[in-house]
Amino acid sequence: MTDWNAMSDAEFRKEVRGFLEAEYPEELRHLPHRPKFAEIEHWHRKLHTKGWVAPAWPAEYGGMGLNAAKLLIFYEEQQRWGVNRGRDMGVQMVGPLIIKFGTQKQKNYWLPRILSCEDIWCQGYSEPGAGSDLANLRTRAEIDGDDFVINGQKIWTTMAHDATHIFMLVRTDPDAPKKQQGISFVLAPMDQPGVEVRTITTLSGETEFCEVFFDNARTPRENLVGELNKGWTMAKALLSFERIFIGSPSLAQNALGQLESFARGRGAFDDPVFRDRFAQAALDVEDHAALYSRFADQLKRGETLGADVSMLKIWVTECFQRITELMIEAAGPDGGTVGPLQVGNVSVDVLASFYKARPTTIYGGSNEIQRNILSKAVLGLPD
Amino acid sequence: MQSSEQEEDLRLLRESARTLFDRAGGSGRSRKLRDAGGEFDPDMVRELGEAGVFGVAVPEEQGGLGMGLAAGGVIAEEVGRVIAPEPVVATIGLGLGLLRRLCPEHPKLEQLIGGEASLAVAWQERGPGGASADATCRYADGKLTGGKAWVVGAGGTQDFLVVAEADGGPVLVLAEASADGLVTTRRAQADGSSLGELSFSGTPAAELACGAAVQRALSEAVADATALAAAELVGLSQRAFEITLDYIKTREQFDKPIGSFQVIQHRAVDLNVMCEVAQAAVREVLMRMDGETDASIRARLASRAKARAVTAARKVTRDAIQLHGAVGYTDEFDIGLYLNRALVLSAWLGDDAYHRRIWFDAREEEGAAQ
Ligand SMILES: Cc1cc2nc3c(=O)[nH]c(=O)nc-3n(C[C@H](O)[C@H](O)[C@H](O)COP(=O)(O)OP(=O)(O)OC[C@H]3O[C@@H](n4cnc5c(N)ncnc54)[C@H](O)[C@@H]3O)c2cc1C
């Protein structure tokens, strides 16, 4: 197995770039929508063969085991080339959960299936009454013999209509004194009579998230991850993975690259004001990466991330949004136009980037919630 | 300053326009039209014409109501509130703005006022890099050659008013939408509407006016339309804010309405202040444009209005989505329709950065002239 971390940064970058440029399918570059798995399967197979599906997982579980610096390079190169994230809920969320809290049996069973995308995961946390107040969730899981029986509803479940499994937070003890208690983490198959999925159309006309209804759905008891009724603590640990992932520079870097080629093609850099605003955005991204690698290093050393990781998400998502606003500005009279805009030999879908940037300040814990966390847990401000 | 009589007239006009749109189905009607393919409703255009909406800013001696741009702004705000897809501002500002200045006797003027005709104005052009460019579309021997871009209402129109270049300078001509050698390509917009890109190859067209007067009238009409688009954005922002205010009063998390969190309260107040400033500024601009004859001052006023309105609409519509959380990102809730409409109206006739630049340049020129 290659020890990527032993390579120089330049060597590693060259390796990644070479692979992507040679192997990444042209038609998938800068994909404006979230693909279904079938659309990107041929690319996933290549990644899988190469062993590059999970750059952040330890090598013993089939990951690349990259350290923070290498991970950043990996993401930068992906963004530079417009590589799609793929269906990465499994890699980004379920994998880390199982690696941290799962039994050996669970690791042996689930992790390889995540890497091969035999199982495609969606995240079942939010409910109509449990958004920011996630602990308010009501979906019930009751023990019945060797199974859990699940009843309730999840919402905003991204790509649930193209997933084989859902990892979910459920209420297993409704009588617990606090709502954060009595919540458990379970894995459940989607393909069963008790699970119904309805897509929800977004304001840009895409169907990328869903409602998922559970009516006496079943999952084996062995699909409980961690201890019964201890799901909340685990979910919080997982959220810090999510936050460092959402807080990574990738989306903003990608948008910045698109902004640059688009603005150049449209002649927007002739305007000194625009140049200044572009430079601000570019430095916002670059300086964010410096802060990011501090947290990523912590993670690599095996330390648990503190509440301060929230600052990454706040910074980079708002920066991402400013970049897409600049794209719209550079588009001038085309700023309301749907679909790719041609400039010279590149085409940039300005509105697709804009729409993609909007919910980043809502999901993964809204930026208001992140600010609440920072002000209390980091700054120690009183209630 | 407006007299109290004028104020009362505008208030009554606002009331009747609001009633008309509400009775027609408000924003629900706009959603249905979008779902049906994004065109406006010709019956609604007729109804608006009968109600005198298009003629508000046309002088009485030309068959209008003679209430000025201030009244046009009242209508535009109401259009914005219900995100109506009818090209009301384009008609009042551009179509009628050109006809009444250049050829008030033309029968199209009366038909447009009455809502019996539709007329899309084609005056901008796209350069090779994709950005807007100087006019090169030619008119000679009764025929048009070249192209025009960003034409509002191109989908449902019967005729185009085209500004082109002829040997003797600019001309205003009328071409039928079904004329030979005219190809219209529609570019889909965020709100479901479309903008037309026209390509002429020897397309027959009738000359309506020519010479320097055409350029002057075009600049004036564009200034009017710009200020009215600002008013439309003001109405849109105001309504988007109201929808959001209702939402944060009712949505509960952590066992209380989210509007009880201080950070949400402050955000709501900021949006409210933004809306009020924009409304005051745009209404003042329209009033002043009515009393101003100097074309460059009028243009600068229009830029001031659009700059403010776009800045406000951007802030309000983006924050509105944020305050709604995930439901704000769905198509089911109306708030997304307001965001999408704001994108289109902001890009049309120049965004805030563009108009701030124009405003500053105009101010420098005026200073140098004094
Ligand atoms: C595109 C998208 C994809 C998503 N994918 C998934 C998924 O795959 N799985 C999943 O489980 N969920 C998913 N979500 C849901 C997401 O996690 C929730 O939207 C998020 O938790 C916010 O909840 P909410 O939408 O109910 O908003 P609400 O909680 O109702 O919040 C509304 C507004 O109030 C603010 N607010 C709430 N409480 C406070 C407070 N105490 N102080 C200050 N402000 C407050 C919020 O910041 C927000 O601005 C997705 C959401 C989006 C938009």
Side-chain angles (χ1 to χ4, degrees), chain A residues 133 201 325 334 336 355 361, chain B residues 126 150 190 253 318 322 331 340:
Chain A
D133 186 10
T201 305
E325 296 285 357
D334 288 325
Y355 288 127
T361 50
Chain B
R126 186 188 288 281
W150 300 297
Q253 285 289 271
R318 279 36 158 199
Q322 181 68 22
D331 186 58
N340 283 331

Side-chain angles (χ1 to χ4, degrees), chain A residues 326-346:
Chain A
L326 280 175
M327 285 165 98
I328 288 178
E329 186 183 322
D334 288 325
T337 300
V338 175
L341 299 173
Q342 202 68 32
V343 272
N345 52 6
V346 289

Side-chain angles (χ1 to χ4, degrees), chain A residues 344-382:
Chain A
N345 52 6
V346 289
S347 85
V348 175
D349 195 330
V350 166
L351 280 191
S353 289
F354 170 78
Y355 288 127
K356 200 191 270 184
R358 294 325 306 172
T360 59
T361 50
I362 297 172
Y363 60 59
S366 76
N367 285 24
E368 287 76 24
I369 295 299
Q370 310 291 349
R371 285 183 166 88
N372 286 347
I373 292 171
L374 286 173
S375 61
K376 304 240 156 56
V378 177
L379 304 183
L381 291 168

Side-chain angles (χ1 to χ4, degrees), chain B residues 2 6-19 21 48 53 56-57 65 67-82 88-89 92 224 227-236 279 282-284 286-287 290:
Chain B
Q2 33 182 315
Q6 199 182 2
E7 228 169 284
E8 180 61 10
D9 286 348
L10 293 182
R11 196 185 60 76
L12 290 173
L13 181 69
R14 185 179 307 282
E15 255 172 38
S16 59
R18 188 166 300 183
T19 311
F21 281 116
L48 291 171
V53 157
V56 279
L65 297 180
M67 295 174 76
L69 274 186
V74 165
I75 302 290
E77 282 186 33
E78 295 307 313
V79 169
R81 283 183 68 86
V82 295
V88 174
V89 165
I92 299 180
D224 291 356
L228 292 174
E232 191 171 345
L233 279 168
V234 162
L236 179 156
Q279 188 195 72
V282 172
R283 287 184 185 177
E284 182 188 283
L286 290 164
M287 197 67 66
D290 277 330

Side-chain angles (χ1 to χ4, degrees), chain A residues 89 123-128 130-133 155-158 208-209 359 362-369 372, chain B residues 247 251 253-254 258 261 263-264 322-327 329:
Chain A
M89 285 273 189
Q123 178 194 27
Y125 286 15
S126 307
E127 297 181 8
S132 297
D133 186 10
I155 196 169
W156 317 126
T157 325
T158 299
E208 62 171 56
F209 52 29
I362 297 172
Y363 60 59
S366 76
N367 285 24
E368 287 76 24
I369 295 299
N372 286 347
Chain B
Y247 188 76
R251 166 69 172 168
Q253 285 289 271
F254 306 100
I258 57 174
F261 302 122
V263 62
I264 303 280
Q322 181 68 22
L323 295 177
H324 275 76
V327 291
Y329 196 61

Side-chain angles (χ1 to χ4, degrees), chain A residues 230-379:
Chain A
K230 292 280 155 51
W232 187 251
T233 345
M234 284 183 282
K236 279 187 26 189
L238 201 59
L239 273 179
S240 75
F241 287 115
E242 185 177 5
R243 270 164 208 166
I244 189 156
F245 180 66
I246 301 179
S248 86
S250 43
L251 284 171
Q253 273 166 357
N254 181 7
L256 189 73
Q258 302 230 66
L259 169 64
E260 180 163 9
S261 48
F262 183 72
R264 206 175 286 290
R266 281 285 169 107
F269 287 136
D270 296 346
D271 175 11
V273 179
F274 193 88
R275 281 207 298 270
D276 175 66
R277 295 176 60 201
F278 175 81
Q280 258 182 48
L283 294 178
D284 282 350
V285 173
E286 211 169 309
D287 297 343
H288 166 267
L291 184 65
Y292 176 80
S293 45
R294 219 198 256 175
F295 286 95
D297 275 328
Q298 242 177 298
L299 212 55
K300 287 291 158 286
R301 288 194 301 265
E303 296 166 22
T304 321
L305 295 180
D308 51 349
V309 69
S310 287
M311 62 180 72
L312 289 180
K313 196 222 166 195
I314 293 175
W315 183 281
V316 79
T317 52
E318 292 171 13
C319 174
F320 181 23
Q321 292 182 343
R322 288 193 297 274
I323 292 169
T324 63
E325 296 285 357
L326 280 175
M327 285 165 98
I328 288 178
E329 186 183 322
D334 288 325
T337 300
V338 175
L341 299 173
Q342 202 68 32
V343 272
N345 52 6
V346 289
S347 85
V348 175
D349 195 330
V350 166
L351 280 191
S353 289
F354 170 78
Y355 288 127
K356 200 191 270 184
R358 294 325 306 172
T360 59
T361 50
I362 297 172
Y363 60 59
S366 76
N367 285 24
E368 287 76 24
I369 295 299
Q370 310 291 349
R371 285 183 166 88
N372 286 347
I373 292 171
L374 286 173
S375 61
K376 304 240 156 56
V378 177
L379 304 183

Side-chain angles (χ1 to χ4, degrees), chain A residues 95-329:
Chain A
L97 174 79
I98 292 176
I99 289 171
K100 204 168 161 89
F101 301 105
T103 60
Q104 195 55 45
K105 200 174 156 205
Q106 285 173 330
K107 289 179 192 171
N108 293 344
Y109 181 76
W110 295 109
L111 297 181
R113 298 168 66 95
I114 290 174
L115 293 174
S116 67
C117 268
E118 184 163 351
D119 299 333
I120 296 174
W121 290 89
C122 64
Q123 178 194 27
Y125 286 15
S126 307
E127 297 181 8
S132 297
D133 186 10
L134 184 56
N136 201 37
L137 62 94
R138 297 217 161 86
T139 297
R140 287 276 282 128
E142 285 164 287
I143 292 169
D144 178 31
D146 287 340
D147 286 348
F148 284 108
V149 177
I150 306 169
N151 282 290
Q153 181 196 352
K154 295 291 172 183
I155 196 169
W156 317 126
T157 325
T158 299
M159 298 305 279
H161 56 308
D162 189 43
T164 61
H165 289 75
I166 183 166
F167 62 104
M168 55 194 303
L169 288 172
V170 288
R171 194 158 293 286
T172 36
D173 179 8
D175 303 320
K178 283 177 68 185
K179 53 185 182 182
Q180 287 80 1
Q181 296 164 352
I183 293 175
S184 300
F185 230 118
V186 298
L187 313 175
M190 300 282 283
D191 184 14
Q192 56 167 312
V195 176
E196 196 199 330
V197 177
R198 269 186 232 151
T199 57
I200 303 172
T201 305
T202 66
L203 53 72
S204 60
E206 305 280 338
T207 43
E208 62 171 56
F209 52 29
C210 303
E211 287 176 283
V212 186
F213 300 89
F214 298 88
D215 180 11
N216 290 318
R218 288 184 167 262
T219 196
R221 273 181 74 173
E222 62 186 28
N223 284 349
L224 171 75
V225 183
E227 273 178 69
L228 192 69
N229 297 330
K230 292 280 155 51
W232 187 251
T233 345
M234 284 183 282
K236 279 187 26 189
L238 201 59
L239 273 179
S240 75
F241 287 115
E242 185 177 5
R243 270 164 208 166
I244 189 156
F245 180 66
I246 301 179
S248 86
S250 43
L251 284 171
Q253 273 166 357
N254 181 7
L256 189 73
Q258 302 230 66
L259 169 64
E260 180 163 9
S261 48
F262 183 72
R264 206 175 286 290
R266 281 285 169 107
F269 287 136
D270 296 346
D271 175 11
V273 179
F274 193 88
R275 281 207 298 270
D276 175 66
R277 295 176 60 201
F278 175 81
Q280 258 182 48
L283 294 178
D284 282 350
V285 173
E286 211 169 309
D287 297 343
H288 166 267
L291 184 65
Y292 176 80
S293 45
R294 219 198 256 175
F295 286 95
D297 275 328
Q298 242 177 298
L299 212 55
K300 287 291 158 286
R301 288 194 301 265
E303 296 166 22
T304 321
L305 295 180
D308 51 349
V309 69
S310 287
M311 62 180 72
L312 289 180
K313 196 222 166 195
I314 293 175
W315 183 281
V316 79
T317 52
E318 292 171 13
C319 174
F320 181 23
Q321 292 182 343
R322 288 193 297 274
I323 292 169
T324 63
E325 296 285 357
L326 280 175
M327 285 165 98
I328 288 178
E329 186 183 322

Side-chain angles (χ1 to χ4, degrees), chain B residues 85-208:
Chain B
E86 285 71 24
V88 174
V89 165
T91 302
I92 299 180
L94 294 178
L96 289 167
L98 285 170
L99 291 179
R100 75 179 165 90
R101 288 184 174 97
L102 291 170
C103 44
E105 282 84 40
H106 198 283
K108 280 280 173 208
L109 182 82
E110 196 186 326
Q111 292 167 12
L112 261 191
I113 293 175
E116 296 148 24
S118 53
L119 190 60
V121 178
W123 61 283
Q124 288 173 287
E125 290 184 27
R126 186 188 288 281
S132 90
D134 290 343
T136 56
C137 175
R138 294 281 303 164
Y139 180 70
D141 305 325
K143 293 193 160 72
L144 285 166
T145 329
K148 290 283 163 186
W150 300 297
V151 181
V152 172
T157 197
Q158 296 143 350
D159 297 284
F160 290 103
L161 263 188
V162 185
V163 179
E165 294 300 306
D167 284 342
V171 285
L172 181 73
V173 302
L174 187 69
E176 285 178 26
S178 58
D180 286 343
L182 166 54
V183 179
T184 306
T185 315
R186 289 199 221 163
R187 295 194 145 204
Q189 300 298 297
D191 61 352
S193 71
S194 64
L195 288 178
E197 306 254 323
L198 312 186
S199 145
F200 306 105
S201 45
T203 308
E207 181 173 325
L208 303 184

